[in-house]
Amino acid sequence: MRVAIAGAGAVGRSIAGELLENGHEVLLIDKTPSAISVERVPLAEWLLADACEITSLDEAALERCHVVIAATGDDKVNLVVSLLAKTEYGVPRVVARVNNPKNEWLFNESWGVDVAVSTPRLMSALVEEAVSVGDLVRLLRFSQGDANLVELTLAPEAALAGTRVGDVAWPQDTALVTIIRGNRVLTPNPNDALEAGDELLFVAAPAREEQLEDLLSVRGSG
């Protein structure tokens, strides 16, 4: 898979390193000469250019990319890159970094964003997740499909503890995608029994979040 990353700062380089380790092709784009640190990510392609300029994106051959990640520290730049990637080059998957949570509402399909990652919101969500058992925590928002990635840690007294996954009447427009149990990551199976302390990750429509939280609460909803 070919991935272009706009923004070669610490965030962009970190993402590039992870993707390269997983066998993907990565192109890092930045307009600041000092950000072009080839020795830090030597296996990546590098391009000194303004990712907001069509000529730069032509040079980057963005039409060949399967994913574009707008990872700069400027929300305006990330929005422009996302919009150009989607509308001018038809990139299938566009992921954008949100630096200021107040701008999060802009990062949607109208600007070409498929997945918006708000670093401050994600950090606060992870803090909440660390201290909250039984409370639903929103981790990511997917612009296309109007869905969120949410997490809930099953409390010891939860009504569904001990219940098989296949026996639970999950709300509509929700999908249990992963169970994290201790150091193990489990793909949910209908015969798996939920256990207290399980971290459950769902993709869910925002309108179903309250219903999902109620279902997994201590009292349950039947």
Side-chain angles (χ1 to χ4, degrees), residues 64 78 96 109 129 131 184 188 213-214 218-219:
R64 291 176 44 222
N78 291 342
E109 58 188 12
E129 185 271 333
V131 299
R184 301 170 60 201
E213 185 172 24
D214 187 62
V218 172
R219 64 184 180 280

Side-chain angles (χ1 to χ4, degrees), residues 1 3 5 14-26 69:
M1 182 169 68
V3 182
I5 302 174
S14 177
I15 297 169
E18 292 283 343
L19 291 171
L20 287 164
E21 284 185 12
N22 290 327
H24 302 294
E25 296 178 38
V26 176
I69 301 173

